Amino acid sequence: MNRTDTSGLAMQDEATFAALVGRHRRELHVHCYRMLGSFTDADDLVQETFLRAWSKRETFDGDAFRAWLYRIATNACLDFLRRTSRQVTKLTSFAEVSWLQPYPDRLLDGIEQPDAVAVARETIELAFLAAIQLLPPKQRATLILRDVLGWSANETAETLELSVASANSALQRARATLREELPSRRLDWTTNEASAEEMATLKRFVTAHVESDWAALATLVSEDVRVTMPPHPVCFDGRDALSGLGEEADRMGVWKRVLTTANRMPAAVGYVKRPGDTEYHAWMIDVLRVVDGRIAEITTFPPDLLPAFGLSATL
């Protein structure tokens, strides 16, 4: 773990302290997002982490400042999960994870080593984020600290106030759950970014939607394509269902699309101009899972996070 010059931490004023911990804001935000599955809740928990760090600054022993912040952030997230009881009991689709939100790649890019390993695609993709929502809070934290951040068993046990044996047991149970829930193909990814093939498929998807060419869209999706729309508890399966959604989109108005990426996956923001409107208004963010050149899953989110994507609400 990297070190930061934190000499005289307890003696620093609030502005100096805020600047010091602010260097870790982005990585801590990703950590809280992974724990919670929600971008907006991660915002709140990072702020809570900084407030707790300020109030506890006199307890810092002068070593491993970054790890100290991660301990505070992890326990802030665990407290949040205890208050909200936010855990799914089954996961047949993303429809069960009503709080799931996308994470803009533009905020993942530029995170430097050693933190870059914590935003690898297999640990930020929506399937992983949804699957770990099945885990009890301490299992979830153990898995993230050990398998994502690479902490030792001793460090993890100390942070979670567990014995090393209990921490190891929690890790094994968490890994077993994920083996059942996650496709083995995710371990074959060799890049942390959406591939050229995936982005080409996204462009064809966008063109078909904007041109209302639903026949062309049908050739781009797998036969059992799935569409979910968190936070709404709805799930549509198959090409026929997707065709019906396309017809509904046509009735809404004229569409434009802006390409982006989220969770290391291809994505597009949909803007609609309804009859009588003079502007296109943001309506949705689609995140695509592409398998063997075909769209296997479309996760449609509301446009609440457009500022985080660096995009406007209107065109």
Side-chain angles (χ1 to χ4, degrees):
M1 297 177 187
N2 61 334
R3 294 174 181 266
T4 303
D5 182 8
T6 54
S7 56
L9 183 66
M11 302 299 294
Q12 292 174 353
D13 61 42
E14 188 171 355
T16 303
F17 182 85
L20 182 62
V21 298
R23 300 173 192 172
H24 303 275
R25 174 178 289 275
R26 189 179 296 185
E27 60 176 297
L28 290 171
H29 190 273
V30 173
H31 178 61
C32 293
Y33 169 73
R34 190 178 279 108
M35 284 284 295
L36 307 176
S38 165
F39 186 97
T40 53
D41 288 335
D43 281 344
D44 294 340
L45 268 296
V46 168
Q47 185 61 29
E48 173 68 17
T49 296
F50 288 178
L51 291 173
R52 291 188 183 194
W54 170 252
S55 67
K56 296 179 179 180
R57 64 193 183 281
E58 293 186 0
T59 68
F60 178 64
D61 62 7
D63 189 29
F65 181 68
R66 176 174 171 266
W68 182 70
L69 289 176
Y70 266 97
R71 290 189 184 101
I72 295 173
T74 300
N75 282 293
C77 289
L78 290 174
D79 289 343
F80 174 87
L81 291 171
R82 278 191 286 267
R83 291 195 305 271
T84 60
S85 300
R86 187 176 285 180
Q87 179 187 345
V88 295
T89 57
K90 63 176 182 177
L91 188 63
T92 55
S93 77
F94 296 159
E96 281 93 23
V97 192
S98 62
W99 56 89
L100 186 65
Q101 292 180 311
Y103 203 105
D105 277 12
R106 66 189 290 266
L107 300 182
L108 299 174
D109 296 334
I111 294 181
E112 300 177 353
Q113 292 287 358
D115 314 314
V117 297
V119 293
R121 179 167 178 174
E122 66 268 21
T123 65
I124 204 69
E125 202 238 19
L126 290 176
F128 180 83
L129 267 294
I132 63 174
Q133 304 305 307
L134 285 164
L135 302 176
K138 286 205 173 181
Q139 281 189 33
R140 192 182 311 179
T142 301
L143 181 96
I144 292 170
L145 293 175
R146 292 293 309 277
D147 286 357
V148 177
L149 297 180
W151 284 27
S152 70
N154 285 333
E155 290 170 319
T156 301
E158 180 182 355
T159 294
L160 301 179
E161 298 181 348
L162 297 171
S163 67
V164 172
S166 295
N168 286 337
S169 178
L171 178 62
Q172 294 308 313
R173 293 196 299 274
R175 285 173 174 171
T177 298
L178 292 197
R179 278 196 297 270
E180 294 175 0
E181 296 294 332
L182 291 173
S184 58
R185 56 170 285 277
R186 61 187 282 274
L187 299 179
D188 297 331
W189 286 326
T190 56
T191 176
N192 279 342
E193 300 177 351
S195 69
E197 180 187 44
E198 288 174 317
M199 294 305 293
T201 300
L202 172 68
K203 291 178 181 178
R204 291 193 292 270
F205 166 81
V206 163
T207 299
H209 181 197
V210 170
E211 297 179 355
S212 298
D213 190 347
W214 306 116
L217 184 61
T219 68
L220 296 175
V221 303
S222 60
E223 186 174 352
D224 59 349
V225 62
R226 167 167 287 176
V227 181
T228 52
M229 302 178 176
H232 306 294
V234 294
C235 179
F236 302 93
D237 286 319
R239 287 176 179 155
D240 290 343
L242 189 60
S243 176
L245 292 171
E247 293 170 1
E248 175 63 25
D250 281 345
R251 287 191 287 270
M252 291 180 64
V254 181
W255 290 83
K256 284 187 177 181
R257 289 283 196 156
V258 175
L259 304 186
T260 186
T261 53
N263 299 79
R264 303 306 192 192
M265 305 166 73
V269 179
Y271 292 81
V272 64
K273 183 169 72 172
R274 294 178 178 273
D277 284 349
T278 59
E279 293 181 313
Y280 289 82
H281 294 269
W283 186 257
M284 61 190 178
I285 303 171
D286 284 336
V287 182
L288 308 187
R289 180 168 65 88
V290 179
V291 179
D292 298 328
R294 291 185 182 271
I295 299 168
E297 194 162 34
I298 303 171
T299 310
T300 299
F301 297 98
D304 306 349
L305 297 178
L306 282 187
F309 281 86
L311 296 172
S312 65
T314 59
L315 291 178

